[in-house]
């Protein structure tokens, strides 16, 4: 297969290369695209050094089996439609197309069936949404979720490689604040993305809207608060769920454990435990009553929340 990665030198782009290798995807030709400043860099794939090319409209007019995009919504908005027009299938990690009516928003373990023999642009959901719905979808299937109250504790890598650099600079006493609205070192920031006129953040609306689309149930009420924390990799989420049908602790454990690529454990799991892992970890399950329970959910936001989900979409499509 001929695969292209757009945004190859970013955190998610580099992780996509690693996951393509780890999942043994039969790649015959891998093309790596990035901005002009990254042109000429080399990245390793299956022991081979591959030179990064500058992303241009012409490169998107070639025929690929898949193009994986993770270069921000403006790049996706401009280049993905060109690639699609030339018959390519694009798995886009940006927020550009997620809420478009005709664009599938895919977590393959939940709604991968939607992209069997699909051609065109496929949207990869937001990282904090993916790990949440992955741990809850079997519960929704059986017990019908009414409400989700979620507080997120999101790693700085979610804001890209420059954010990681800013964080480490601040840890060394440098007062730069280019990426985050306030210092993130030794701090937490209760805003991710822009704050909208109604005081919600963009990130909170992603969780509200994407959850309904992925679970295909627009009656679900999602009440999120998304927070940036001084961690490099690994988003954590404190989630309280109200279900229509009542349940028992054992049944909840079973349903969570039945979710593919989700690991239920009684261990205490932290972001440092999940780096470079491709599963969602669920712990601290507590039941308040037969219709209300809480979990703590942790996953590598760059892997589960982006690169691994994208490659799993590709896997579902080639194994149909
Ligand atoms: C973040 N979920 O964590 C957003 C985008 N990756 O910054």
């Amino acid at each position: 297969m001929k695969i292209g990665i757009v945004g190859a030198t970013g955190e998610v782009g580099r992780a996509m290369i690693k996951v393509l290798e780890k999942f043994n995807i039969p790649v015959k030709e891998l093309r790596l695209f990035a901005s002009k400043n990254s042109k000429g860099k080399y990245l390793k794939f299956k022991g081979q050094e591959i030179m990064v090319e500058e992303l241009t409209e012409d490169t998107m007019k070639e025929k690929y089996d898949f193009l994986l995009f993770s270069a921000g919504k403006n790049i996706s908005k401009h280049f993905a439609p060109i690639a699609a027009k030339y018959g390519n299938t694009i798995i886009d990690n940006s927020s550009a197309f997620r809420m478009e009516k005709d664009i599938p928003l895919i977590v393959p373990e939940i709604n991968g069936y939607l992209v069997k023999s699909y051609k065109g642009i496929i949207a990869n959901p937001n990282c904090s949404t993916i790990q949440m719905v992955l741990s809850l979808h079997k519960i929704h299937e059986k017990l019908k979720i009414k409400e989700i109250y979620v507080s997120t504790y999101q790693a700085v890598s979610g804001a890209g490689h420059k954010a990681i650099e800013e964080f480490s600079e601040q840890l060394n006493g440098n007062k730069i604040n280019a990426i985050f609205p306030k210092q993130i070192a030794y701090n937490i920031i209760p805003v991710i993305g822009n704050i909208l006129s109604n005081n919600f953040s963009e990130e909170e609306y992603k969780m509200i809207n994407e959850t309904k689309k992925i679970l295909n149930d627009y009656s679900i009420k999602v009440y999120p608060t998304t927070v940036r924390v001084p961690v490099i990799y690994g988003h954590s989420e404190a989630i309280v769920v109200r279900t229509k049908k009542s349940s028992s602790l054992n049944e909840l454990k079973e349903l969570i454990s039945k979710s593919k690529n989700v690991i239920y454990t009684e261990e205490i799991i932290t972001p440092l435990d999940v780096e470079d892992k491709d599963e969602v970890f669920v712990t601290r399950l507590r039941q308040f009553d037969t219709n209300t329970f809480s979990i703590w959910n942790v996953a590598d936001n760059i892997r589960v929340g982006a690169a691994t989900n994208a490659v799993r979409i590709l896997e579902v499509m080639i194994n149909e």
Side-chain angles (χ1 to χ4, degrees):
M1 278 199 300
K2 178 180 173 184
I3 290 182
I5 298 179
V6 173
T9 56
E11 284 294 312
V12 174
R14 290 169 188 269
M16 285 171 166
I17 297 171
K18 274 196 226 169
V19 177
L20 285 171
E21 266 179 355
K22 178 182 173 185
F23 286 23
N24 247 327
I25 303 294
V27 183
K28 262 224 167 35
E29 184 187 356
L30 181 65
R31 300 275 294 278
L32 304 176
F33 301 105
S35 66
K36 198 180 273 165
N37 329 345
S38 298
K39 178 177 137 186
K41 281 182 185 167
Y42 281 85
L43 294 173
K44 208 172 245 188
F45 176 65
K46 289 187 182 168
Q48 268 211 321
E49 294 286 343
I50 300 180
M51 193 183 80
V52 176
E53 302 167 61
E54 183 183 351
L55 175 67
T56 63
E57 290 189 2
D58 284 346
T59 57
M60 293 294 102
K61 293 174 184 171
E62 290 182 34
K63 189 71 190 77
Y64 302 84
D65 291 284
F66 288 94
L67 279 163
L68 305 179
F69 269 63
S70 190
K73 69 177 164 187
N74 295 332
I75 293 289
S76 294
K77 275 191 174 147
H78 181 80
F79 290 97
I82 296 170
K85 190 164 149 245
Y86 280 78
N88 289 306
T89 296
I90 299 99
I91 300 171
D92 176 36
N93 187 48
S94 83
S95 58
F97 306 102
R98 288 176 185 157
M99 297 321 290
E100 299 274 327
K101 202 170 64 56
D102 307 332
I103 301 273
L105 180 65
I106 301 296
V107 176
E109 298 86 338
I110 302 174
N111 60 0
Y113 61 88
L114 292 175
V115 288
K116 299 269 182 204
S117 53
Y118 175 90
K119 270 234 168 290
I121 298 173
I122 299 166
N124 211 38
N126 186 45
C127 40
S128 49
T129 308
I130 292 173
Q131 68 186 76
M132 181 171 81
V133 293
L134 262 176
S135 56
L136 296 179
H137 74 102
K138 286 291 183 196
I139 286 176
H140 181 58
E141 226 170 77
K142 182 88 189 298
L143 306 173
K144 289 282 163 259
I145 290 176
K146 254 172 42 183
E147 294 156 353
I148 301 172
Y149 299 79
V150 51
S151 294
T152 70
Y153 306 74
Q154 297 182 223
V156 298
S157 55
H161 191 72
K162 287 199 167 52
I164 297 175
E165 288 174 343
E166 177 166 305
F167 177 47
S168 34
E169 283 292 313
Q170 289 177 5
L171 288 174
N172 297 327
N174 187 331
K175 296 275 173 225
I176 50 162
N177 251 21
I179 310 267
F180 298 112
K182 302 203 114 182
Q183 173 175 312
I184 185 61
Y186 317 107
N187 206 3
I188 59 172
I189 304 174
V191 182
I192 295 179
N194 298 319
I195 284 248
L196 308 169
S197 54
N198 60 3
N199 245 351
F200 278 74
S201 70
E202 283 172 330
E203 188 79 357
E204 285 152 359
Y205 267 118
K206 287 176 186 175
M207 294 192 82
I208 293 169
N209 296 327
E210 293 176 21
T211 299
K212 297 168 193 261
K213 184 170 178 180
I214 295 160
L215 296 179
N216 193 26
D217 185 337
Y218 291 80
S219 72
I220 298 174
K221 299 259 183 291
V222 185
Y223 302 102
T225 300
T226 56
V227 181
R228 188 73 71 193
V229 295
V231 160
I232 299 186
Y233 295 107
H235 287 353
S236 307
E237 299 179 345
I239 307 174
V240 176
V241 178
R242 276 239 160 83
T243 58
K244 288 181 182 149
K245 293 180 191 151
S246 54
S247 177
S248 68
L249 204 59
N250 276 340
E251 185 180 32
L252 290 170
K253 277 181 197 169
E254 259 168 51
L255 290 168
I256 293 168
S257 309
K258 252 168 71 180
S259 311
K260 198 161 172 250
N261 299 316
V262 175
I263 296 175
Y264 173 78
T265 174
E266 310 283 352
E267 302 282 312
I268 302 300
I269 301 291
T270 70
L272 293 179
D273 300 316
V274 303
E275 201 173 322
D276 276 343
K277 293 213 168 65
D278 296 306
E279 294 81 18
V280 179
F281 292 80
V282 174
T283 183
R284 303 293 331 280
L285 171 63
R286 285 154 288 150
Q287 224 183 355
F288 298 99
D289 57 48
T290 54
N291 292 77
T292 316
F293 69 91
S294 170
I295 55 171
W296 177 259
N297 156 323
V298 200
D300 181 322
N301 54 298
I302 300 295
R303 296 285 286 255
V304 170
T308 307
N309 193 74
V311 174
R312 280 182 176 140
I313 293 172
L314 184 158
E315 242 184 351
V316 158
M317 297 179 79
I318 60 175
N319 294 334
E320 57 191 1

